Amino acid sequence: MGPDDRPSGVLAGFVRLVDLIETLVRHTGRAPRRIEPLPVTRGEWRMPLLCLVSPLGASSPVEVLTDRFESGTRQVPHTVIPNPADDVRSLLHQAYEGLSARRFGGPPLRFRHYGLIKRIMDVDLSKAEVEKRPRELARRLGRSLWTRPREAGQVATGSLGLVLWISAALVPMMLPLLVTGRMRWFMRQPFLAPRLAGGLFGFFAFAVRLTTPARRSEDGEQIDRLLVHAFLEDLRTAYRHRPWRPSRWRRTTYPVLLLDRIVPGDAAYDLLRLVNTVRNETGESDPLLIISHGGEVPPGGSRPEDEPHRVVRLEDVGDVFRVWHGSVTEMRQARDDTAWYVPIEIPPADLGAIQPRLPRIVPPPVPLRARPAIWIALALVPCLCAGTWYGLDQRQEHQRHERAVAIAAERRRDLIQAHCYPVNTRGRRIAVTLEQRECIGYSDSDGLVFGDNQKTVAIQKTIFEQNRYAEQGWAVRNDRPYATLVYLNTLTRLDPLADDETFVAEREGLEGVATAQYRANLEADNDPASPYVRIIVANAGQEARQADQVVRMLEQLIAGDSTVLAVVAPVDSRRSTQRALRELERIGLPTVTPTTSADGISGGSSLYLQLAAPNIDQARLVHHYVTEVLHRRGLVNYYTFGVAGRSGEQDDLYVQTLRDDLKSLFKGDYADQFWKNGTSVRDICARRFSGVVFFGGRYSEFGPFIQQVYSECSQDLPVIVADDSVGRYMANVPARATAPTNLPVIFAVKGQLASCPMLEKASDSERQYFLTDLRTQRSRCRGDNPQGIGDDPVGGWTGLSYDAVRIVAKAVKDIAGSRPTSTHWDPRQISPQLVYRQVRQSADQTPYPGVTGPIRFDRYGVAEDKRLSLLCAPNVYQVYRKGSDIPREVDRIGVGYRDDPPLRSGACHAN
């Protein structure tokens, strides 16, 4: 090879050398494509001691390589020590300072083990007593670590130093507990036989041997090996994979120690020997790559031509290194003094000329998993997800809250519109709910009144005012009974056109209750046995459809109020009513029904009282009138079921049982037909039908029915008899505004006819009290109406409800009168069941003198021989409009009073 060819050959060899070094120092990333990757076991490093051999007078290859390391802001951790000192410990400290410097663009290397032993070796314990030296060492270490500012590679933080100092000074027994992981490592390593100091917790005793002047008696070679071993252990720790230490992942290259111009016998030779020895004896590898340059071949210092079998030519460096890489394990196990040495001969050449043409050794990029931004992003992703989820959840929660507020506001508006928003409820008995736009529940004060028609509201307020009177009266006279009755009725309707007259029956029923309550409270003021009466008004909704729900609400009421003794329920005879009666029996409340009349509606209840005659009696009255008074045979029953139409057939017990009763009495002369608005009735005109037309349905269809009859049979009108439900229509003057002007109708009424003239002629005290109270409380029957008393009649439902309240109040009075008097009435002295038994017993002995006729009961609690009347309205349109337009009685059954006017039976003719 000529002189002109040598530089190019050296360049090629040096490129291979640089590629090899780059392959060795790469911690992460792929190896250069020019070098085939080396098989490496995870956690094991096979770093050679690359000994570059060339004449010392020539260009230094270490200087060339150093230039290749120093490029960019991120560099391979490296330090160059030219002309090493004679002391291996000083050389090791120079390597420590160089590699721990913060100048390589990555996380700094920390030498915690090496730093700890160096601080121990700096402690002078010559003046301390021998037995106190471990404690004194701990105190001085703590003070040193606490007071000195932290430097690169410092062993511990100031807080650890403070704990060491305090523990050593104040609590010496805690010293064994302060042995850290690094301290335990010193006790397990093989040099200087540390276990002779007392096991794992004898670290301070072992450390004393390294202080001044104690280490003078120790083997210096062993101390040097310990220092080298600690130095290499710090590098192992720095590059050992730990998932919880991302800083290890940010180290993409291994450290390099470059020793230039070394000569046999200097500290560099000793350091190379110590590294080789420590690796062999401990069996542990480390990530430190040491590159040295000298004129002789370490470790013996021979010339290259003297050891041709060991010295590698520069151009063969790659292949030879692979051979060494595969055999180093066996050599280290054999404790070969040259196991880790790889001497490489550098041919004489101008290395400065080839330096710019050599590739630079650039650290691989930090892997994604080691970049703080990635970790921050990964940390932010769940935070963002959680934040997004939380935000969405909060938004949804906010939306749910807004919807809830809107729903609550809308419900509040609905409640207010439905007059179902109670106020001033403290201490009152109020419980309501909104069901299908109707306010369902009960109330005992004007904090809530049911419905919006003025007349029924006014009477409810009268009742509530009398409730306050009863409460105040009993507060003063609490030696007498105090009874609470529930008045259950239909006080609201879904019909938007419902007016005051739509609730005429309910209004009359409330009038009867208010009048009876007034009379009872007056008697209680003067009679210790008479009860003060409080009325709780309850609304079961249209057609009493929500009656069973109201009963469930009453069950909660009676659980906390033992004064509730009975329920007065003038409701329709429907399935819902029957269910409510069973529920009332279940909760132990007697039920007094002023108007309910369907046969068998009680279902065998043991707490049922019915003041109205049953439907079978009404059917007998109709049969008697048709056959005995009119002397006719046939009867056609047109029936309806109210607003529900044909769908209410199964629910309407009143209409169905009345049909069955009429059919059983008229037998073959009976026919019936469901009628709906607009259905033709020509077949019942008088010239075609000689019998009687009976309307056996609900009052709500009676107006359209008679209009249909009048339009088709105006010149040939049949005889029309109607059931007692039509009494509502007759009492509703506005509803009859479109009625025919000359159509006569006979209709049934329940109970004794309690008109003002009849009440004025009554001789018994009950009817006289009733008349007096009507005049003072309700301004009726006063005789000062210039148009006549007919303009202000007493409705049939008023008397029935009056009797219902009075019969319960009399039973309470009878029970209280039979008990010894006391200074304070205990409501538990009377139970609802006891009241029921007293009513039955009193009525069985002597019929109760009700304003609607004498009252006694059969074994099922149904009124027996109760007065029923048929009234003739000669002109449907004109009835009750003037004093002369009062319907007259044309037939009756049941027991009445001696002073009843004589019956004028006969046909009903138009005026």
Side-chain angles (χ1 to χ4, degrees):
M1 179 179 295
D4 296 334
D5 298 329
R6 185 173 295 277
S8 61
V10 173
L11 175 60
F14 237 97
V15 169
R16 292 189 181 93
L17 177 62
V18 172
D19 288 343
L20 173 63
I21 294 172
E22 185 174 5
T23 303
L24 290 172
V25 299
R26 278 178 174 264
H27 181 206
T28 61
R30 296 181 179 179
R33 295 181 180 179
R34 298 178 299 272
I35 299 295
E36 183 180 352
L38 299 171
V40 178
T41 304
R42 184 178 180 86
E44 179 184 1
W45 301 276
R46 297 181 187 180
M47 291 294 186
L49 303 176
L50 293 181
C51 301
L52 308 181
V53 181
S54 69
L56 293 181
S59 300
S60 172
V62 169
E63 294 178 357
V64 175
L65 293 175
T66 302
D67 179 70
R68 298 297 90 189
F69 286 125
E70 297 178 350
S71 61
T73 57
R74 294 188 68 251
Q75 302 176 16
V76 176
H78 68 282
T79 184
V80 182
I81 304 177
N83 302 313
D86 295 334
D87 184 4
V88 70
R89 297 179 187 176
S90 299
L91 175 60
L92 193 61
H93 195 70
Q94 284 182 277
Y96 153 71
E97 290 179 338
L99 291 178
S100 62
R102 296 174 178 268
R103 62 184 181 87
F104 305 115
L109 294 171
R110 294 185 177 180
F111 293 83
R112 299 176 182 272
H113 298 81
Y114 176 78
L116 178 59
I117 196 170
K118 281 293 294 179
R119 290 194 181 278
I120 292 173
M121 293 176 69
D122 289 342
V123 176
D124 185 357
L125 296 178
S126 58
K127 296 182 180 181
E129 298 180 13
V130 175
E131 64 276 6
K132 294 183 179 180
R133 285 182 178 178
R135 177 180 175 185
E136 179 65 18
L137 175 60
R139 186 182 65 81
R140 292 194 187 184
L141 277 178
R143 182 171 58 187
S144 172
L145 298 173
W146 174 32
T147 58
R148 292 184 184 181
R150 185 172 180 178
E151 300 173 352
Q154 184 171 305
V155 60
T157 60
S159 58
L160 175 59
L162 177 62
V163 172
L164 281 172
W165 184 83
I166 293 176
S167 300
L170 304 178
V171 193
M173 294 300 294
M174 291 183 61
L175 286 180
L177 303 179
L178 297 176
V179 177
T180 65
R182 289 183 293 278
M183 296 176 184
R184 287 192 292 270
W185 178 86
F186 278 106
M187 301 305 292
R188 290 194 295 264
Q189 58 83 31
F191 304 114
L192 290 176
R195 292 186 181 275
L196 296 178
L200 292 177
F201 298 116
F203 169 76
F204 291 101
F206 167 68
V208 168
R209 295 165 52 191
L210 299 175
T211 61
T212 302
R215 66 172 175 272
R216 295 175 184 171
S217 60
E218 300 291 338
D219 185 355
E221 173 71 13
Q222 290 290 310
I223 294 176
D224 291 342
R225 292 182 181 180
L226 175 59
L227 284 168
V228 171
H229 190 24
F231 184 89
L232 297 178
E233 177 62 23
D234 286 323
L235 295 177
R236 297 185 197 105
T237 303
Y239 285 91
R240 189 172 290 133
H241 289 276
R242 291 292 184 269
W244 57 89
R245 292 182 179 177
S247 62
R248 273 46 169 182
W249 302 343
R250 294 197 293 271
R251 307 183 199 277
T252 61
T253 54
Y254 296 116
V256 180
L257 175 60
L258 297 106
L259 304 173
D260 198 11
R261 294 182 174 85
I262 68 174
V263 295
D266 66 3
Y269 266 71
D270 290 340
L271 180 59
L272 294 175
R273 176 182 54 79
L274 288 170
V275 171
N276 186 86
T277 301
V278 169
R279 289 176 177 177
N280 287 344
E281 292 191 7
T282 61
E284 296 185 62
S285 59
D286 57 80
L288 178 63
L289 175 62
I290 301 179
I291 303 175
S292 66
H293 166 241
E296 289 78 24
V297 180
S302 59
R303 298 180 60 81
E305 55 269 20
D306 296 337
E307 297 188 64
H309 61 286
R310 289 188 58 232
V311 179
V312 180
R313 293 186 304 173
L314 186 59
E315 59 269 22
D316 299 331
V317 64
D319 296 335
V320 174
F321 178 78
R322 295 187 67 82
V323 174
W324 172 86
H325 189 274
S327 60
V328 66
T329 302
E330 296 179 0
M331 290 189 292
R332 70 188 294 187
Q333 291 174 353
R335 307 291 177 90
D336 191 334
D337 293 338
T338 62
W340 296 91
Y341 289 85
V342 178
I344 303 172
E345 183 181 8
I346 306 298
D350 184 5
L351 299 181
I354 67 172
Q355 179 176 331
R357 303 169 62 184
L358 294 175
R360 291 188 178 275
I361 303 176
V362 180
V366 177
L368 294 178
R369 68 176 183 273
R371 298 182 185 180
I374 298 299
W375 282 100
I376 293 173
L378 290 176
L380 288 178
V381 166
C383 293
L384 290 175
C385 292
T388 302
W389 174 84
Y390 179 77
L392 292 175
D393 182 68
Q394 288 298 305
R395 182 180 179 183
Q396 293 174 354
E397 182 65 27
H398 180 68
Q399 292 174 345
R400 286 194 294 268
H401 176 71
E402 287 185 337
R403 286 196 297 269
V405 170
I407 292 172
E410 183 178 358
R411 180 167 178 81
R412 186 174 182 271
R413 287 194 300 270
D414 293 341
L415 290 173
I416 294 175
Q417 291 176 358
H419 304 278
C420 202
Y421 193 79
V423 295
N424 301 326
T425 60
R426 186 174 181 179
R428 310 312 306 174
R429 301 292 190 269
I430 300 178
V432 290
T433 183
L434 191 63
E435 295 290 341
Q436 299 178 357
R437 296 182 291 113
E438 288 188 281
C439 188
I440 305 302
Y442 60 81
S443 172
D444 73 338
S445 75
D446 54 8
L448 188 137
V449 293
F450 294 101
D452 57 357
N453 52 86
Q454 298 179 359
K455 294 182 179 179
T456 57
V457 167
I459 302 174
Q460 289 180 71
K461 290 183 177 180
T462 299
I463 291 174
F464 297 148
E465 179 63 31
Q466 292 180 166
N467 283 346
R468 286 190 289 271
Y469 180 87
E471 292 169 1
Q472 295 169 1
W474 192 74
V476 177
R477 307 175 186 87
N478 56 18
D479 59 336
R480 56 208 64 194
Y482 185 83
T484 299
L485 303 183
V486 178
Y487 181 72
L488 178 64
N489 205 344
T490 295
L491 299 174
T492 58
R493 296 184 187 276
L494 295 175
D495 184 2
L497 300 179
D499 54 15
D500 284 344
E501 299 305 322
T502 303
F503 295 90
V504 60
E506 290 76 13
R507 184 186 71 237
E508 291 180 358
L510 284 169
E511 283 184 337
V513 170
T515 305
Q517 181 188 26
Y518 172 77
R519 170 55 51 185
N521 291 338
L522 282 181
E523 292 176 350
D525 287 340
N526 302 291
D527 185 357
S530 295
Y532 283 104
V533 174
R534 176 179 61 176
I535 301 296
I536 294 178
V537 177
N539 178 34
Q542 182 164 315
E543 297 179 350
R545 294 173 185 171
Q546 309 296 333
D548 49 350
Q549 181 175 351
V550 176
V551 173
R552 289 192 293 270
M553 300 170 74
L554 292 176
E555 183 176 9
Q556 299 177 3
L557 170 66
I558 64 175
D561 190 346
S562 58
T563 67
V564 180
L565 298 179
V567 175
V568 176
V571 291
D572 292 340
S573 300
R574 300 182 184 274
R575 295 284 182 187
S576 57
T577 303
Q578 193 174 49
R579 290 193 299 269
L581 292 174
R582 287 197 292 265
E583 286 296 299
L584 286 169
E585 180 186 25
R586 180 184 63 82
I587 66 176
L589 277 181
T591 305
V592 184
T593 61
T595 58
T596 305
S597 60
D599 300 328
I601 192 172
S602 68
S605 171
S606 59
L607 295 175
Y608 178 73
L609 295 172
Q610 177 179 309
L611 302 190
N615 275 358
I616 185 62
D617 287 355
Q618 184 175 175
R620 291 193 185 103
L621 175 60
V622 172
H623 183 265
H624 178 269
Y625 180 71
V626 171
T627 60
E628 300 297 330
V629 177
L630 299 181
H631 303 289
R632 302 196 181 196
R633 297 181 57 185
L635 184 134
V636 176
N637 178 15
Y638 284 91
Y639 60 91
T640 64
F641 299 109
V643 295
R646 195 66 184 253
S647 62
E649 181 174 2
Q650 298 300 320
D651 181 62
D652 199 327
L653 297 178
Y654 171 80
V655 173
Q656 295 291 58
T657 57
L658 185 57
R659 287 176 62 198
D660 294 339
D661 293 335
L662 291 171
K663 185 177 181 179
S664 66
L665 292 174
F666 283 93
K667 296 182 172 51
D669 295 327
Y670 173 82
D672 61 19
Q673 178 183 343
F674 174 76
W675 187 86
K676 64 179 181 178
N677 195 2
T679 303
S680 176
V681 292
R682 286 189 178 90
D683 292 341
I684 61 166
C685 294
R687 63 175 175 266
R688 296 186 180 184
F689 178 64
S690 60
V692 173
V693 175
F694 184 75
F695 182 82
R698 294 293 178 175
Y699 76 97
S700 52
E701 290 78 42
F702 185 69
F705 175 75
I706 59 176
Q707 289 180 10
Q708 188 74 25
V709 172
Y710 190 77
S711 65
E712 295 185 356
C713 307
S714 59
Q715 302 302 320
D716 198 13
L717 293 174
V719 176
I720 300 177
V721 179
D723 60 20
D724 66 90
S725 174
V726 172
R728 284 177 177 267
Y729 175 80
M730 294 298 182
N732 191 342
V733 175
R736 293 183 283 107
T738 59
T741 57
N742 59 348
L743 178 67
V745 172
I746 301 99
F747 62 98
V749 293
K750 295 174 178 176
Q752 181 82 23
L753 187 60
S755 64
C756 294
M758 293 182 64
L759 291 174
E760 290 172 349
K761 297 176 182 179
S763 59
D764 59 284
S765 60
E766 191 69 16
R767 287 186 291 174
Q768 290 176 356
Y769 286 145
F770 182 52
L771 176 62
T772 301
D773 296 339
L774 284 175
R775 287 172 172 171
T776 56
Q777 282 296 106
R778 308 308 310 159
S779 299
R780 297 189 182 278
C781 302
R782 296 176 61 175
D784 55 358
N785 189 333
Q787 295 182 349
I789 58 176
D791 285 350
D792 207 12
V794 179
W797 294 275
T798 303
L800 289 169
S801 294
Y802 180 90
D803 284 345
V805 174
R806 293 290 288 160
I807 200 171
V808 175
K810 182 179 182 303
V812 174
K813 178 181 178 179
D814 292 343
I815 296 172
S818 64
R819 303 289 176 88
T821 58
S822 61
T823 58
H824 183 80
W825 175 261
D826 185 358
R828 291 174 296 182
Q829 295 184 44
I830 296 182
S831 67
Q833 294 80 6
L834 182 59
V835 171
Y836 176 82
R837 289 195 296 270
Q838 182 63 40
V839 171
R840 294 296 304 272
Q841 181 179 348
S842 298
D844 288 344
Q845 293 175 355
T846 303
Y848 177 77
V851 298
T852 59
I855 301 173
R856 63 178 181 177
F857 302 99
D858 64 12
R859 59 175 181 167
Y860 301 109
V862 178
E864 192 173 35
D865 290 332
K866 185 66 184 293
R867 173 59 60 88
L868 271 174
S869 300
L870 286 178
L871 303 183
C872 168
N875 188 331
V876 173
Y877 175 81
Q878 196 66 27
V879 69
Y880 293 127
R881 290 182 182 272
K882 295 190 306 182
S884 59
D885 292 326
I886 300 176
R888 65 180 179 86
E889 193 175 29
V890 294
D891 201 3
R892 63 190 178 198
I893 62 172
V895 178
Y897 292 109
R898 295 179 181 177
D899 53 11
D900 289 347
L903 176 66
R904 294 185 300 162
S905 62
C908 183
H909 301 288
N911 288 339

